[in-house]
Amino acid sequence: MEKISQFVSRLFLAQIFLLSGIFKISGYEGTQGYMDAMGVPGMLLPLVIVIEVGGGLAIIAGWQTRIISIALAVFTVVAAVIFHNNFSDQMQMIMFMKNIAIAGGFILLAVHGAGGYSLDSRHNVS
């Protein structure tokens, strides 16, 4: 049961990044415009997509989990600060706190590793 729950936890944590990255591909121009409007150069969008899709897939597979978890935690906090900093808007406050909670999950994953049913466990890294 422990190995299954570790895999499901990684899947739940990573799915938001994987889907978000895929949606950014299909809505590329709109996302690029939103980034520009928020003061983030839209030319960084390909990097964001790689981080979200690649990071999400890596977490699901349990590959380089500790390093990628730290990177995604930092990415998530930075995104919260840039895109969800209007605390007078209740929805933005909730989105900010959601990002902080996700970062907390990634920190736990970085500390404890991928667990069973992961590529890391095949190499005795977790």
Side-chain angles (χ1 to χ4, degrees):
M1 191 68 175
E2 183 177 336
K3 289 180 182 182
I4 291 171
S5 65
Q6 290 166 333
F7 171 73
V8 170
S9 296
R10 290 195 328 266
L11 180 65
F12 284 0
L13 195 53
Q15 57 83 27
I16 194 168
F17 291 90
L18 179 58
L19 294 176
S20 181
I22 291 169
F23 292 149
K24 282 178 176 70
I25 294 168
S26 64
Y28 195 92
E29 289 180 18
T31 303
Q32 197 171 39
Y34 179 67
M35 288 173 66
D36 283 329
M38 297 301 289
V40 177
M43 67 183 205
L44 294 176
L45 183 53
L47 177 62
V48 170
I49 292 169
V50 167
I51 290 169
E52 289 185 342
V53 173
L57 289 172
I59 294 297
I60 291 168
W63 179 75
Q64 297 294 315
T65 304
R66 294 177 192 271
I67 294 168
I68 295 191
S69 292
I70 292 168
L72 286 175
V74 170
F75 174 83
T76 304
V77 170
V78 169
V81 169
I82 293 171
F83 294 104
H84 306 300
N85 59 19
N86 181 6
F87 297 140
S88 63
D89 179 345
Q90 184 178 9
M91 184 54 69
Q92 290 303 312
M93 171 84 83
I94 291 168
M95 297 294 282
F96 182 89
M97 291 185 301
K98 171 207 49 113
N99 278 33
I100 298 305
I102 290 169
F106 279 124
I107 292 167
L108 279 171
L109 198 52
V111 169
H112 295 286
Y117 300 132
S118 68
L119 294 176
D120 289 348
S121 70
R122 297 184 73 178
H123 302 298
N124 296 323
V125 176
S126 63

